[in-house]
């Protein structure tokens, strides 16, 4: 019996498309501004291998998106602007909001490898991010200045293939301003 492939995203009602990814075909929403996609990226961004922001669960992230307070990674670092209003929302109080804001502040000290991982670049997990970070001795400026606006031969680094190289270069060209804006919110720690 045949399974009908959904034509529309259940989150944003945008069109769906089948994308070939790592020898597999994956059904994805074609809308780059889909709030479901944003939630997925933010959920990974705050996870342990990435920025490790304790207390920002998927449900809280969905709440923050719904409020319009978070539309990108950078907005997480400006949630203190909404502190008073946030504390008055159902399910939150002064202590819980302050605990989350403290965890956000703590995440500002980050290693380059966790930053790269947090960007949700297709095919770039923590292992690949560590390889890239080691190549630049954990120095954000060295990495950024090499990556923009050049197409870098990432495949010269261990365990990075042609598809990941293409994904990295495409992401950098499309998101260089976002990366710089986000980096301006952070303090990069250089590993020993």
């Amino acid at each position: 019996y045949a399974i009908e492939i959904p034509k529309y995203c259940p989150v944003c009602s945008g069109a769906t498309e089948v994308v070939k990814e790592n020898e597999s075909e994956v059904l994805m929403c074609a809308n780059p501004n889909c709030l479901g996609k944003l939630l997925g990226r933010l959920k990974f961004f705050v996870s342990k291998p990435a920025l490790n922001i304790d207390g920002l669960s998927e449900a809280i992230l969905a709440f923050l998106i719904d409020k319009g307070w978070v539309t990108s990674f950078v907005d997480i670092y400006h949630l203190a602007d909404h502190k008073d209003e946030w504390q008055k929302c159902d399910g939150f109080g002064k202590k819980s909001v302050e605990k989350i804001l403290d965890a956000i502040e703590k995440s500002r000290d980050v290693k380059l490898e966790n930053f790269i991982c947090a960007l949700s670049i297709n095919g770039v997990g923590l292992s690949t991010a560590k390889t890239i970070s080691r190549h630049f001795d954990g120095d954000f400026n060295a990495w950024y200045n090499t990556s923009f606006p050049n197409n870098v031969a990432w495949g010269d680094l261990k365990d990075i293939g042609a598809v990941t190289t293409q994904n990295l270069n495409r992401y950098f060209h499309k998101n260089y301003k976002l990366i710089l804006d986000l980096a301006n919110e952070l303090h990069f720690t250089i590993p020993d």
Side-chain angles (χ1 to χ4, degrees):
Y1 96 103
I3 297 173
E4 191 173 324
I5 296 174
K7 291 182 170 78
Y8 301 100
C9 173
V11 177
C12 73
S13 301
T16 60
E17 63 185 353
V18 176
V19 178
K20 193 159 180 106
E21 204 175 84
N22 298 332
E23 306 300 319
S24 299
E25 290 185 339
V26 181
L27 182 66
M28 299 181 98
C29 176
N31 177 5
N33 300 315
C34 175
L35 295 181
K37 287 171 129 175
L38 173 63
L39 178 59
R41 288 190 304 269
L42 289 169
K43 185 177 160 191
F44 186 74
F45 181 81
V46 303
S47 71
K48 196 168 191 143
L51 273 284
N52 193 19
I53 303 175
D54 200 31
L56 275 179
S57 67
E58 183 173 355
I60 293 173
L61 288 168
F63 165 82
L64 296 169
I65 291 168
D66 189 51
K67 282 292 207 180
W69 297 340
V70 175
T71 60
S72 74
F73 299 145
V74 176
D75 292 339
I76 287 175
Y77 292 97
H78 295 274
L79 282 170
D81 298 346
H82 306 285
K83 181 179 176 180
D84 293 339
E85 187 181 348
W86 189 2
Q87 291 172 352
K88 295 173 187 165
C89 294
D90 282 346
F92 296 98
K94 185 176 181 182
K95 231 176 192 156
S96 65
V97 170
E98 284 179 359
K99 187 175 178 183
I100 293 169
L101 292 175
D102 287 346
I104 291 169
E105 284 306 306
K106 186 178 167 194
S107 78
R108 287 184 188 269
D109 293 324
V110 65
K111 291 186 211 166
L112 179 60
E113 63 196 48
N114 299 100
F115 176 80
I116 294 170
C117 181
L119 296 174
S120 294
I121 302 167
N122 229 352
V124 179
L126 187 56
S127 176
T128 301
K130 282 181 178 181
T131 298
I132 295 168
S133 179
R134 273 194 300 272
H135 181 73
F136 294 100
D137 298 321
D139 183 331
F140 172 83
N141 290 322
W143 170 71
Y144 185 85
N145 292 333
T146 298
S147 302
F148 307 99
N150 311 311
N151 272 328
V152 178
W154 298 107
D156 293 348
L157 301 180
K158 184 180 181 248
D159 299 329
I160 298 179
V163 172
T164 302
T165 293
Q166 184 180 14
N167 291 342
L168 281 160
N169 287 328
R170 188 180 307 129
Y171 187 91
F172 294 149
H173 287 289
K174 190 176 172 188
N175 297 291
Y176 67 93
K177 185 174 178 345
L178 166 80
I179 293 169
L180 197 54
D181 290 347
L182 182 55
N184 286 331
E185 299 292 338
L186 304 172
H187 314 286
F188 289 91
T189 57
I190 304 292
D192 297 332

